[in-house]
Amino acid sequence: MKNPSHLIVVGASAGGMPALCRLAEQLPTALSAAVLIVQHFAPDSSGWHLVERLARHTSLTCLLPSDGDRIEAGCVYLAPPDRHLLVKDGHMLVTKGPRENHYRPAADALFRSAAAHYGTAVIGVVLTGMLHDGTAGLELIKRAGGLAVVQDPQEAEYPSMPESALSNVPIDYVLPISQMGELLARLVRIPSSGNSNVPEDIKLEAAIAERVVGTTNEVERLGQVSSMTCPDCGGALFELKHGKLLRYRCHTGHAFTANALLKSTQHSLEETLWVALRMMEERKNLLTSIASRGEGHYSVQQEERIEEIKNHINRLREFLLNGVSGSTVVTTPEEEQQ
């Protein structure tokens, strides 16, 4: 049993398994680091077939960890389905904590935990995937003194995650998968100072996640309450004031980047408008039935109201069919798995 010199934490989503296999086959047998991976997949999936797939491409030991397992050098750990993978005191925490950016497991949760407890000994890696998971976590790794590595978006099957990281975080290395293994093997040979200078807000946020739920007073130390509510639980959202990336979290533990929150509110808005359209259609039908039984002036009034609501229905339907806020809401492969 050997303690790792570094933690290599990896986030991947759509197109991630082929990329992870290509990366794993490059890692040396005598790797002094441990590799912890978050790959988005369906909550009811069996993680073992993915572990076995990885194992066919590397001589390193590939495992699906359990809560409390010790972190060992030369091992590759894949976050289990529908569980966050966190680290603390040389061990792994496997928890069903609140989703972050609607994901569980979430790369951001793993990256933040690693940053808090390992500081400069962390190398964060973001590979192919859609949306923004991993971006906030990479920023925390950088603030804690670690390194950030991103797959070249031009070769990524789904470039959104690498592009998001590049747009928001000062990345140390951007390169294709084919060159990543050699780089990581070289980086883990560089001595690190550990977590002695990790900012207190990162430690606090990691501690909240370890307990699953924090208190309002604790979250207030991280940021100030905003006028928005959490789309997952309805609680107040706090705008986090540390770092350059705009982030939000509620005291329950749900966390979002601003972009992820924007997408979530767009989806909620669309669903609400479809409900409004259905209710207006029902009101029109009811008014039509009432008018058909009325006579004279009363019937004329009802017809005017029916025409008015028809106009509202047509405008709302046109707005929805053309896309809310000028863009159609598209379901991504990852969202279909949620």
Side-chain angles (χ1 to χ4, degrees):
M1 184 181 298
K2 183 179 178 182
N3 293 329
S5 63
H6 291 72
L7 290 192
I8 300 173
V9 290
V10 185
S13 189
M17 281 310 299
L20 288 167
C21 290
R22 290 170 56 202
L23 176 59
E25 64 189 10
Q26 302 172 50
L27 297 175
T29 303
L31 187 69
S32 63
V35 182
L36 289 80
I37 298 172
V38 164
Q39 161 69 49
H40 297 158
F41 48 96
D44 58 352
S45 297
S46 169
W48 282 112
H49 75 281
L50 298 181
V51 170
E52 291 169 356
R53 182 176 172 183
L54 276 175
R56 291 196 293 269
H57 294 269
T58 179
S59 57
L60 299 174
T61 303
C62 298
L63 299 165
L64 199 68
S66 298
D67 189 50
D69 284 356
R70 187 170 182 82
I71 305 171
E72 297 185 29
C75 292
V76 177
Y77 303 97
L78 181 69
D82 201 30
R83 296 292 189 277
H84 287 310
L85 178 60
L86 311 177
V87 299
K88 183 180 182 181
D89 299 332
H91 293 78
M92 286 169 286
L93 308 179
V94 179
T95 75
K96 198 168 184 178
R99 297 177 185 270
E100 301 202 17
N101 289 324
H102 302 297
Y103 293 118
R104 188 175 56 221
D108 283 340
L110 171 61
F111 288 11
R112 177 184 59 237
S113 179
H117 292 286
Y118 284 82
T120 60
V122 179
I123 303 169
V125 182
V126 168
L127 303 180
T128 172
M130 299 185 70
L131 303 181
H132 318 285
D133 193 26
T135 297
L138 272 188
E139 184 192 44
L140 299 180
I141 288 173
K142 288 291 295 179
R143 289 181 55 219
L147 297 173
V149 179
V150 170
Q151 181 183 7
D152 186 345
Q154 293 187 356
E155 74 144 20
E157 185 175 354
Y158 293 87
S160 295
M161 277 175 53
E163 287 175 345
S164 174
L166 284 168
S167 298
N168 294 282
V169 182
I171 303 300
D172 297 291
Y173 302 94
V174 182
L175 68 172
I177 292 287
S178 60
Q179 301 174 25
M180 204 170 282
E182 180 183 357
L183 171 69
L184 294 175
R186 176 166 54 85
L187 292 178
V188 299
R189 291 195 294 267
I190 302 173
S192 75
S193 58
N195 68 339
S196 56
N197 294 314
V198 175
E200 288 302 318
D201 64 285
I202 297 178
K203 293 180 180 179
L204 174 58
E205 196 172 355
I208 292 173
E210 290 160 12
R211 298 196 307 275
V212 180
V213 177
T215 67
T216 302
N217 288 338
E218 285 177 321
V219 182
E220 284 179 341
R221 290 168 57 190
L222 296 172
Q224 58 187 14
V225 67
S226 73
S227 60
M228 294 175 288
T229 57
C230 175
D232 287 350
C233 70
L237 279 177
F238 290 77
E239 183 176 310
L240 303 192
K241 58 188 178 182
H242 304 279
K244 297 180 180 178
L245 189 66
L246 183 58
R247 295 191 296 130
Y248 297 86
R249 69 176 298 129
C250 66
H251 83 275
T252 303
H254 300 113
F256 310 88
T257 63
N259 283 332
L261 184 61
L262 181 64
K263 186 172 183 64
S264 178
T265 55
Q266 179 179 333
H267 178 75
S268 298
L269 173 61
E270 184 187 27
E271 293 302 309
T272 300
L273 292 176
W274 281 113
V275 171
L277 180 62
R278 187 258 302 167
M279 295 179 68
M280 291 171 70
E281 289 278 8
E282 292 175 355
R283 179 173 174 80
K284 181 200 70 175
N285 293 337
L286 181 58
L287 287 171
T288 300
S289 297
I290 293 172
S292 67
R293 297 172 182 272
E295 295 182 0
H297 180 66
Y298 181 75
S299 180
V300 171
Q301 284 182 325
Q302 295 297 77
E303 290 293 343
E304 290 176 351
R305 294 171 68 187
I306 291 169
E307 286 303 313
E308 181 181 0
I309 200 168
K310 280 182 179 178
N311 289 333
H312 291 317
I313 289 170
N314 289 337
R315 281 195 289 269
L316 183 54
R317 181 181 289 112
E318 181 180 3
F319 177 69
L320 282 164
L321 293 177
N322 287 332
V324 179
S325 299
S327 61
T328 303
V329 175
V330 179
T331 302
T332 68
E334 299 127 291
E335 290 173 321
E336 291 174 353
Q337 296 176 358
Q338 299 301 307

